[in-house]
Amino acid sequence: MKILVIGGGGREHALVWKLAQSPRATQMWCAPGNAGIAGETVAANGSAVECVGIGAEDLPALLEFAREQQIDLTVVGPDNPLAMGIVDQFQAAGLRVWGPTQQAAQFESSKIFSQEFMDRNGVPTMKSASFTAAAEARAFAASLDGKCAVKADGLALGKGVLICNTPDEANAAIDQIMTDRAFGDAGSSVLIQELITGMEVSLHALCDGKTAKLFPSSQDHKRALDGDQGLNTGGMGTYSPVPFLSDEKLNEIANAVLEPWLAGCAAEGIDFRGMLYPGIMLTDDGLKVLEFNARFGDPETQVYLPRLENDLVDLFEASIDGTLDQHELRWSDQSAVCVVIASGGYPGSYEKGKVITGIADADALPGVKVFHAGTKLDDGNVVNAGGRVLGVTALGQGLQAARDLAYEAAAKIQFEGAFTRSDIAAKAL
Ligand code: GLY
């Protein structure tokens, strides 16, 4: 089977690495990929995974490439091509593709669509309202005493969410998004949600239009610095499973979210085939869904796939074909921890092109896999090319062992300005 993976971050490296282990994979490409993906080989025949210089949002070029190469299965990693309708376009061209359609991807691409769906269908969530007029938005924010999240409706490269604690902050956020259009057209309407406090957990469920298969629990670390301080990032590290959530509790939480979500999809004619990734908050007042994503989390994927024992090609095919009910997900009982190594200055500006050393030494430790996120090859050297550079993932018998190993491996990797958080998974121990 010829497989094309779209995207070029840590999530896509993990997807390529796992798909390449399938006995069914014979040839693989990744567009655009990265230095780590270019080093992977297909297990069945040792052929190299080829990185293709096509951006994840260049839909016409991706379509042409998939047609020319007669790709049997295309797997879409990031949210933007999904929001742009890549799945609909590939399907219309008779190509097999994994991911939600443009309509189903609205769970992520429109925060207002998602929030109104939750309100209509009894998915537990926060008090919220959406606005196209700034004055009304300000009045609603004032009714929450300014303690709210102001979100640009559309996709804004993960940046369109402003957290406010006072009416002045809320008014400034509304102006920034709606009047100044800091996030472009994504801010033509805003969603305002009450702020809630609690423990944030990531859920993932693989869906086929009628069945949702729950993944184990995991937790991301969104802030740049230890102790959940500093600016929000794309995610500085993850671990799985989350020990304070028993399987029973996880199922209870999942049912409270997935049952009304599936029933709502059926009632409203939404055929979601892909990965549903709800971000949830466990509060004193019960669980609340903060948001839905319509793809694998990054870096959650980097801890899930090393623990997954199924053939991922089989699961993606079942998700496309509506036969997930015939599959049981099987997971290693080992824990996984992923520590992200970032470029100095991230999530602000940072320098690129710094030579990275020690990746092979880290990868050589048993139980360790270094996933590349923002890297490229430059004159034979691997250099940093993004804010999140590497995701050092370790498996261990128990979280402590996995965490110790991940940090031991990360310490072997160096480049100028590199930094990690030192407390990934610490709050679980
Ligand atoms: N883990 C954060 C994200 O994937 O959006």
Side-chain angles (χ1 to χ4, degrees):
M1 177 184 280
K2 294 178 174 183
I3 302 173
L4 168 66
V5 174
I6 292 174
R11 166 185 48 216
E12 287 77 25
H13 189 178
L15 286 166
V16 165
W17 170 81
K18 181 68 182 170
L19 290 165
Q21 292 168 30
S22 169
R24 300 177 60 197
T26 54
Q27 217 177 342
M28 287 187 63
W29 293 264
C30 187
N34 61 37
I37 292 171
E40 295 295 338
T41 49
V42 176
N45 55 21
S47 66
V49 175
E50 213 177 301
C51 289
V52 190
I54 306 174
E57 290 164 30
D58 188 349
L59 272 43
L62 291 168
L63 198 53
E64 192 186 325
F65 178 82
R67 273 207 193 103
E68 264 172 16
Q69 296 294 338
Q70 298 180 315
I71 299 291
D72 299 301
L73 174 66
T74 298
V75 171
V76 187
D79 48 358
N80 270 355
L82 293 169
M84 292 164 72
I86 190 169
V87 169
D88 312 62
Q89 292 190 23
F90 271 55
Q91 283 174 348
L95 290 162
R96 212 158 151 70
V97 57
W98 179 79
T101 59
Q102 192 169 30
Q103 181 217 26
Q106 282 183 97
F107 279 109
E108 177 158 11
S109 64
S110 169
K111 295 182 175 63
I112 293 175
F113 168 88
S114 195
Q115 187 69 43
E116 290 180 349
F117 177 95
M118 289 195 266
D119 292 339
R120 273 196 307 275
N121 290 292
V123 177
T125 184
M126 304 82 69
K127 194 192 287 181
S128 74
S130 59
F131 304 93
T132 50
E136 288 165 23
R138 284 196 204 98
F140 182 70
S143 78
L144 299 172
D145 212 15
K147 293 181 186 15
C148 60
V150 182
K151 301 184 173 181
D153 177 41
L155 289 178
L157 299 173
K159 291 183 181 150
V161 178
L162 301 175
I163 305 296
C164 309
N165 286 295
T166 65
D168 282 350
E169 282 178 17
N171 290 343
I174 292 163
D175 284 345
Q176 199 180 333
I177 295 177
M178 299 191 84
T179 314
D180 305 343
R181 291 295 171 96
F183 309 107
D185 285 347
S188 56
S189 41
V190 290
L191 178 70
I192 299 189
Q193 294 170 321
E194 71 173 322
L195 269 195
I196 53 174
T197 50
M199 181 72 91
E200 211 175 318
V201 179
S202 302
L203 295 184
H204 279 65
L206 185 61
C207 303
D208 71 354
K210 46 189 193 303
T211 300
K213 288 275 179 183
L214 185 66
F215 276 31
S217 53
S218 67
Q219 192 172 42
D220 193 3
H221 296 65
K222 294 248 172 70
R223 300 298 191 101
L225 306 175
D226 284 4
D228 294 328
Q229 301 297 310
L231 295 172
N232 250 335
T233 71
M236 292 296 293
T238 39
Y239 65 94
S240 173
V242 175
F244 51 79
L245 279 184
S246 62
D247 284 351
E248 198 185 356
K249 181 77 184 155
L250 179 66
N251 277 322
E252 209 178 283
I253 292 170
N255 289 343
V257 176
L258 295 178
E259 279 180 15
W261 178 82
L262 277 171
C265 284
E268 299 189 15
I270 301 170
D271 187 355
F272 189 104
R273 299 177 192 227
M275 182 61 74
L276 184 76
Y277 154 24
I280 64 166
M281 184 81 92
L282 306 175
T283 75
D284 291 343
D285 190 26
L287 86 97
K288 315 261 184 200
V289 175
L290 298 171
E291 63 181 8
F292 283 119
N293 299 293
R295 52 169 172 89
F296 272 96
D298 188 346
E300 284 89 339
T301 312
Q302 292 88 310
V303 288
Y304 280 140
L305 296 187
R307 296 189 60 214
L308 180 68
E309 292 176 344
N310 301 66
D311 182 336
L312 191 56
V313 174
D314 290 347
L315 294 184
F316 283 161
E317 292 223 300
S319 168
I320 294 170
D321 294 338
T323 55
L324 268 177
D325 58 344
Q326 295 167 23
H327 294 259
E328 279 313 314
L329 301 189
R330 299 186 311 278
W331 301 95
S332 153
D333 62 5
Q334 291 193 303
S335 295
V337 173
C338 171
V339 174
V340 168
I341 305 182
S343 299
Y346 174 75
S349 59
Y350 50 83
E351 288 181 23
K352 296 181 183 173
K354 306 290 179 193
V355 174
I356 307 170
T357 59
I359 296 176
D361 291 343
D363 250 335
L365 292 172
V368 171
K369 174 69 191 171
V370 180
F371 292 114
H372 291 228
T375 66
K376 68 172 192 181
L377 278 174
D378 184 16
D379 215 8
N381 294 313
V382 177
V383 300
N384 72 321
R388 291 186 296 172
V389 180
L390 299 162
V392 182
T393 301
L395 284 172
Q397 212 55 53
L399 205 53
Q400 184 73 59
R403 181 173 190 269
D404 291 346
L405 185 57
Y407 276 108
E408 182 188 339
K412 293 185 183 296
I413 298 176
Q414 270 147 20
F415 59 92
E416 194 188 319
F419 76 97
T420 63
R421 271 181 64 156
S422 68
D423 63 348
I424 301 303
K427 61 168 90 85
L429 292 168

